């Protein structure tokens, strides 16, 4: 905050009160107490969260007669950001925001500091124009953008200089001694902080592209010179204990990094491509988080069906969906629901994605002969009550899982199918007898992941096409009048559902910013569940198709994934575009 006289502070406070941005009674209390203690009233109001940093900065800019800029959501070119070194930017709390006619526009916290302004102008050897912004905004801009990849930039410069002498026989020495190690750390740190699930390092003819998969969508974060590729890939190979002189065949490895005092497992996959070697790094948080199935997006009928299934003493709970749809996370959350000192829970995973206290987790190791099938045989000799098999990939594992369920165990697992109903024919194709499948299945789950709308949002009326799509998908699920709203909302698990309307629905969309591209941040699950009761069992025994099974399930109240998606759209959790993106292939 700029250093203000008492008179200027009073003007700021009066402006906030006049605009209705502060409560007069609360301000008066703070003024009385701060006055007696000789403290700044503005600082006390900020400390007590009665006003925000942005409010003060904007009002101060008006009083001082300087332009104001809110930095949240602003994207600034990296070349502009590099004009002021990071140490100077942090010391003065200033960040460049653009250039016009040879003048550099700079956002500062203390625009009254003439010495700092002169210092910056002399440092960059050009005139500057000052804009006022909040301290939080400037700090966030510096941390997230300015210098985020400074280590990478340094590595690029040094790698270019060394390119002429970089031969295969000394590449190991060079990558250990050069800043390429710091460059890799910077990229990994960025990915961890943005909660990326994967990093893609992809060589093109004349450049190297770095992309991160954030909330299920790939985003390009860097475009590097091709000269960096050999050193960067070699560094990754060294850390993963892979052969640095092997470029013709794919290699897989792993290593662990420490980011903000938290261990993250990295799974490495390297493949030869046309212009070099592609590297894909999967990030797995070893500590994990406290997972709740309700917070992940399951509610209403689906949640009740699953809770009933996991409370059974034995049987199978299976979840399905494409790669990256959150199947394993769902199983972890369900195990959290039943975890107890009274039962022995053993898991068999490839890889172990989250470490959980009180659970015996086994890592599959095919090279050592520990497969899902052999591991499951071993687990059944360890007196388990609950068994989780990371994935049923073959008939042998499927047979063992069914046998485990028949012999009094509760079995959790996943399959790669497009829907919940698709699980049943898939297991029959693996050679499971229909009568065994019918008698062991408790509940089957289908799921996908959609991006959540960010908190910064706006409402709009649905178009004619969107309205028709909502009504066609939902059928008779929505309440017909206001009398039914409370009952239907509670039944489906989405409070305040709208009455079925042929004209329009009020929908939400997020604000597109650098931190929330497309207006999204975080993800939620779309779920459909089928409770395997006697009627469904009869269909299984008769080798019914997935479509026939789903038709019966819907008649019994199953909410499909697309319907669950529309319920999330109407509740302001996601958008129709997101539901169509991940579930357009579903009925």
């Amino acid at each position: 905050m700029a250093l203000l006289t008492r008179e200027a502070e009073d003007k700021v406070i009066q402006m906030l009160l006049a605009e209705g941005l502060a409560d007069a009674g609360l301000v008066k209390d703070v003024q009385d107490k701060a006055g007696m203690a000789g403290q700044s009233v503005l600082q006390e109001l900020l400390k007590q969260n009665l006003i925000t940093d942005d409010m003060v900065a904007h009002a101060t800019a008006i009083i001082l007669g300087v332009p104001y800029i809110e930095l949240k959501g602003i994207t600034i070119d990296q070349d502009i950001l590099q004009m002021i070194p990071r140490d100077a930017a942090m010391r003065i709390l200033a960040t460049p925001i653009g250039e016009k006619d040879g003048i550099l526009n700079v956002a500062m916290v203390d625009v009254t500091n003439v010495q700092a302004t002169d210092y910056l102008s002399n440092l960059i050897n050009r005139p500057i124009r000052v804009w006022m912004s909040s301290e939080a905004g400037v700090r966030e801009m510096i941390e997230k953008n300015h210098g985020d990849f400074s280590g990478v930039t340094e590595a690029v410069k040094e790698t270019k200089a060394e390119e002429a002498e970089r031969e295969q026989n000394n590449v190991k020495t060079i990558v250990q001694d050069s800043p390429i190690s710091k460059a890799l750390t910077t990229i990994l740190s960025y990915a961890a902080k943005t909660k990326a699930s994967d990093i893609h390092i992809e060589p093109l003819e004349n450049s190297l592209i770095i992309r991160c998969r954030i909330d299920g969508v790939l985003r390009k974060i860097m475009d590097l010179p091709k000269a960096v590729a050999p050193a960067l890939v070699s560094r990754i190979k060294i850390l993963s204990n892979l052969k640095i002189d092997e470029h013709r065949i794919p290699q897989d490895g792993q290593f662990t990094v420490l980011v903000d005092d938290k261990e993250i497992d990295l799974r490495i996959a390297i493949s030869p491509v046309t212009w070099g070697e592609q590297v894909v790094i999967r990030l797995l948080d070893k500590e994990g988080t406290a997972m709740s199935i309700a917070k992940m997006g399951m509610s209403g009928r689906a949640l009740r069906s699953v809770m009933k299934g996991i409370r059974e003493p034995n049987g199978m709970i299976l979840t399905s969906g494409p790669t990256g749809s959150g199947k394993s996370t769902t199983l972890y959350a369900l195990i959290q629901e039943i975890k107890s000192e009274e039962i022995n829970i053993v898991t068999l995973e490839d890889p172990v994605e989250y470490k959980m206290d009180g659970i015996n987790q086994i890592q599959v190791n095919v090279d050592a002969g520990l497969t899902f099938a052999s591991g499951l045989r071993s687990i059944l000799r360890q007196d388990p009550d609950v068994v989780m098999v990371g994935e049923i990939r073959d008939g042998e594992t499927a047979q063992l899982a069914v046998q485990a369920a028949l012999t009094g165990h509760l079995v959790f697992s996943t399959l790669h199918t497009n829907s919940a109903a698709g699980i049943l024919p898939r297991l029959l194709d693996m050679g499971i007898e229909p009568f065994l499948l019918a008698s062991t299945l408790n509940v089957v789950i289908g799921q996908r992941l959609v991006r959540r709308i960010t908190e910064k949002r706006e409402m709009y009326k649905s178009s004619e096409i969107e309205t028709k799509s909502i009504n066609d998908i939902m059928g008779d699920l929505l309440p017909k009048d206001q009398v039914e709203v409370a009952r239907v909302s509670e039944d489906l698990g989405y409070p305040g559902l709208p009455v079925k309307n042929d004209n329009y629905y009020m929908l939400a969309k997020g604000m597109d910013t650098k931190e929330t591209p497309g207006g999204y941040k975080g993800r939620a699950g779309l779920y459909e569940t089928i409770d395997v009761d006697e009627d469904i069992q009869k269909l299984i025994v008769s080798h019914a198709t997935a479509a026939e099974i789903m038709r019966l399930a819907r008649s019994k109240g199953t909410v499909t994934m697309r319907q669950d998606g529309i319920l999330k759209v109407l509740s302001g959790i996601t958008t129709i575009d997101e539901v169509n993106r991940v579930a357009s292939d579903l009925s």
Side-chain angles (χ1 to χ4, degrees):
M1 191 174 77
L3 294 174
L4 301 176
T5 63
R6 181 60 60 88
E7 181 183 359
E9 277 201 9
D10 290 341
K11 286 182 180 179
V12 170
I13 293 169
Q14 290 306 315
M15 186 177 292
L16 295 176
L17 290 171
E19 294 292 328
L21 298 173
D23 183 277
L26 295 173
V27 170
K28 180 71 168 58
D29 290 342
V30 172
Q31 283 175 325
D32 292 342
K33 292 175 183 176
M36 289 191 304
Q39 299 169 325
S40 164
V41 177
L42 274 183
Q43 293 290 358
E44 281 301 305
L45 290 171
L46 285 167
K47 191 184 296 183
Q48 296 181 33
N49 294 320
L50 298 175
I51 56 176
T52 68
D53 202 12
D54 283 314
M55 290 179 190
V56 175
H58 200 169
T60 304
I62 293 171
I63 290 168
L64 295 177
V66 297
Y68 168 80
I69 183 170
E70 183 176 352
L71 293 175
K72 289 178 182 175
I74 299 291
T75 303
I76 301 170
D77 189 272
Q78 285 289 325
D79 292 337
I80 296 293
L81 288 167
Q82 297 301 326
M83 287 185 177
I84 297 179
R86 180 184 174 85
D87 58 343
M90 288 299 292
R91 187 169 65 254
I92 298 172
L93 286 179
T95 180
I97 54 177
E99 186 182 22
K100 187 176 181 181
D101 300 329
I103 298 174
L104 185 66
N105 291 292
V106 177
M108 293 179 64
V109 173
D110 187 2
V111 293
T112 62
N113 190 337
V114 180
Q115 288 180 326
T117 306
D118 290 341
Y119 168 76
L120 284 179
S121 183
N122 291 329
L123 181 68
I124 63 175
N125 197 27
R126 71 176 64 196
I128 66 173
R129 184 190 183 205
V130 232
W131 294 64
M132 185 155 194
S133 190
S134 67
E135 181 174 344
V138 171
R139 285 188 182 278
E140 184 177 349
M141 181 62 70
I142 295 170
E143 289 296 334
K144 288 195 173 181
N145 297 297
H146 187 292
D148 241 5
F149 300 108
S150 56
V152 181
T153 306
E154 183 186 353
V156 169
K157 291 177 182 176
E158 186 155 329
T159 304
K160 278 183 174 179
E162 294 173 348
E163 183 179 5
E165 62 180 276
R166 191 180 305 285
E167 300 293 339
Q168 191 58 52
N169 59 1
N170 68 352
V171 70
K172 183 169 181 176
T173 303
I174 292 173
V175 296
Q176 285 178 331
D177 295 339
S178 76
I180 207 73
S181 176
K182 183 179 178 183
L184 178 60
T185 301
T186 305
I187 294 169
L188 294 175
S189 179
Y190 174 84
K193 288 175 181 176
T194 56
K195 300 189 183 301
S197 59
D198 302 88
I199 302 169
H200 290 235
I201 301 172
E202 303 167 338
L204 303 181
E205 184 176 7
N206 299 309
S207 63
L208 184 70
I209 302 297
I210 311 292
R211 297 196 290 172
C212 287
R213 188 177 295 280
I214 303 171
D215 293 336
V217 177
L218 277 172
R219 303 176 195 164
K220 186 169 83 168
I221 62 167
M222 295 198 74
D223 194 338
L224 300 175
K226 187 66 177 287
V228 177
L232 187 59
V233 174
S234 293
R235 181 62 182 160
I236 293 169
K237 287 181 177 179
I238 290 167
L239 292 170
S240 309
N241 291 319
L242 301 177
K243 297 177 181 178
I244 63 171
D245 57 347
E246 179 57 77
H247 308 284
R248 298 166 300 170
I249 61 173
Q251 296 189 77
D252 295 328
Q254 64 183 57
F255 63 95
T256 301
V257 293
L258 197 65
V259 177
D260 293 336
D261 297 324
K262 186 164 63 174
E263 280 193 340
I264 296 177
D265 271 347
L266 304 176
R267 309 289 171 174
I268 314 299
I270 301 177
S271 299
V273 292
T274 304
W275 301 112
E277 290 180 282
Q278 179 191 35
V279 182
V280 177
I281 303 173
R282 168 66 59 89
L283 289 83
L284 300 171
D285 187 345
K286 290 183 73 174
E287 295 179 8
T289 55
M291 289 162 284
S292 161
I293 192 67
K295 288 181 180 177
M296 287 163 57
M298 187 179 289
S299 60
R301 297 175 186 175
L303 184 59
R304 291 194 295 273
S305 176
V306 168
M307 288 298 118
K308 177 187 171 188
I310 66 175
R311 299 301 176 193
E312 296 291 335
N314 60 280
M316 295 176 70
I317 292 90
L318 302 179
T319 179
S320 68
T323 300
S325 59
K327 301 184 297 296
S328 297
T329 308
T330 295
L331 293 189
Y332 282 119
L334 294 178
I335 284 177
Q336 287 276 21
E337 293 287 337
I338 62 171
K339 189 174 74 170
S340 161
E341 292 182 358
E342 299 174 358
I343 59 175
N344 178 22
I345 303 175
V346 185
T347 74
L348 185 63
E349 307 169 59
D350 183 22
V352 174
E353 294 188 25
Y354 301 100
K355 303 295 191 295
M356 298 173 67
D357 290 335
I359 309 294
N360 300 301
Q361 296 173 274
I362 300 173
Q363 167 79 52
V364 166
N365 187 339
V366 177
D367 292 339
L370 178 56
T371 63
F372 278 116
S374 64
L376 188 49
R377 286 195 191 89
S378 173
I379 286 174
L380 295 177
R381 294 193 290 270
Q382 296 174 17
D383 186 32
D385 298 290
V386 177
V387 175
M388 185 186 109
V389 182
E391 184 182 346
I392 294 177
R393 296 177 179 171
D394 52 55
E396 185 181 9
T397 307
Q399 292 281 3
L400 288 166
V402 169
Q403 289 299 322
L406 283 171
T407 52
H409 303 91
L410 191 60
V411 179
F412 293 84
S413 193
T414 70
L415 281 94
H416 283 282
T417 63
N418 285 333
S419 63
I423 290 176
L424 308 173
R426 178 81 179 97
L427 287 171
L428 293 176
D429 289 342
M430 286 184 176
I432 305 298
E433 292 292 340
F435 68 92
L436 291 178
L437 191 57
S439 59
T440 54
L441 280 175
N442 294 352
V443 62
V444 290
I445 306 165
Q447 68 179 83
R448 302 286 169 88
L449 289 177
V450 291
R451 291 179 290 174
R452 290 180 181 269
I453 300 174
T454 182
E455 291 181 7
K456 244 185 163 178
R457 59 181 62 194
E458 59 184 11
M459 304 301 292
Y460 72 97
K461 291 182 180 180
S462 60
S463 66
E464 184 178 340
I465 294 175
E466 288 174 329
T467 303
K468 184 178 185 305
S469 175
I470 290 171
N471 287 331
D472 288 346
I473 293 170
M474 297 308 291
D476 295 327
L477 274 181
L478 291 178
K480 297 179 180 63
D481 51 48
Q482 285 295 335
V483 177
E484 285 194 339
V485 167
R487 179 188 63 80
V488 173
S489 296
E490 183 179 1
D491 177 40
L492 296 177
Y494 293 93
L497 287 175
V499 173
K500 185 173 182 180
N501 189 343
D502 291 329
N503 299 318
Y504 69 86
Y505 296 96
M506 291 305 298
L507 307 180
K509 60 180 178 181
M511 306 295 286
D512 187 9
T513 68
K514 182 178 177 63
E515 290 75 29
T516 57
Y520 301 103
K521 187 172 185 179
R523 289 193 286 179
L526 304 186
Y527 296 95
E528 65 185 17
T529 61
I530 299 177
D531 192 359
V532 184
D533 59 13
E534 290 185 9
D535 294 329
I536 299 292
Q537 288 175 351
K538 289 176 183 176
L539 282 184
I540 295 172
V541 171
S542 64
H543 288 265
T545 64
E548 291 170 329
I549 292 168
M550 179 51 81
R551 197 174 301 119
L552 177 59
R554 290 185 67 172
S555 71
K556 289 173 167 288
T558 287
V559 175
T560 69
M561 272 188 273
R562 290 202 79 187
Q563 289 174 332
D564 190 36
I566 296 301
L567 289 170
K568 285 180 168 64
V569 170
L570 296 172
S571 300
I573 295 171
T574 191
T575 63
I576 286 184
D577 288 343
E578 267 299 282
V579 174
N580 289 337
R581 180 178 71 86
V582 305
S584 59
D585 60 325
L586 302 169
S587 58

